[in-house]
Amino acid sequence: FGSSHTARHGFTPAHPFQRVGAMGKAAKAKAGKKVASAPLGAKKQKVQKSTLFEKTPKNFKLGGDIQPRRDLTRFVRWPQYIRLQRMKKIMLLRLKMPPAINQFNST
């Protein structure tokens, strides 16, 4: 907003897109209330954990832990018949929608 906008309407908001005084009486009343805390007798006690089964973070550096198995199906050299049926499916999908219309699906 320029200076002409404020002069025209006669107000200057704190932020150009912020409404001044947007919070009503009901919202202000709710904002002031606090939730009651739990009673004193109901505190949770800490449980002693055994040191025999302590969890240590894995170390994947050289000489450390073995890395987790990864899903490498994307990089497999698939048999010719599987590649053909996948290519055929994509080709038929592309034929259903002409490229002149499909160009707007990616924007």
Side-chain angles (χ1 to χ4, degrees), residues 19-76:
R19 286 177 42 202
V20 179
M23 202 149 74
K25 289 180 183 177
K28 285 181 184 176
K30 283 184 182 179
K33 291 182 181 178
K34 292 184 180 178
V35 180
S37 60
L40 295 173
K43 285 186 179 178
K44 292 182 180 178
Q45 295 177 354
K46 289 186 179 180
V47 180
Q48 288 284 341
K49 290 188 177 180
S50 173
T51 55
L52 286 172
F53 306 106
E54 247 180 64
K55 214 177 205 182
T56 55
K58 287 189 176 183
N59 174 26
F60 295 123
K61 293 179 184 175
L62 278 174
D65 293 315
I66 296 169
Q67 292 218 343
R69 294 295 234 169
R70 288 191 170 80
D71 184 21
L72 301 174
T73 51
R74 165 112 183 58
F75 308 105
V76 168

Side-chain angles (χ1 to χ4, degrees), residues 1 12 14 26-27 32 39 55 77 87-88 94:
F1 297 121
T12 53
K55 214 177 205 182
R77 184 181 168 94
M87 287 158 61
K88 180 184 174 188
R94 286 183 179 169

Side-chain angles (χ1 to χ4, degrees), residues 69-103:
R69 294 295 234 169
R70 288 191 170 80
D71 184 21
L72 301 174
T73 51
R74 165 112 183 58
F75 308 105
V76 168
R77 184 181 168 94
W78 293 96
Q80 185 68 32
Y81 79 97
I82 292 178
R83 283 187 281 165
L84 276 173
Q85 67 192 16
R86 288 179 179 175
M87 287 158 61
K88 180 184 174 188
K89 186 177 181 182
I90 289 169
M91 191 179 70
L92 292 174
L93 280 172
R94 286 183 179 169
L95 281 172
K96 276 186 181 177
M97 183 175 285
I101 296 171
N102 192 48
Q103 68 178 336

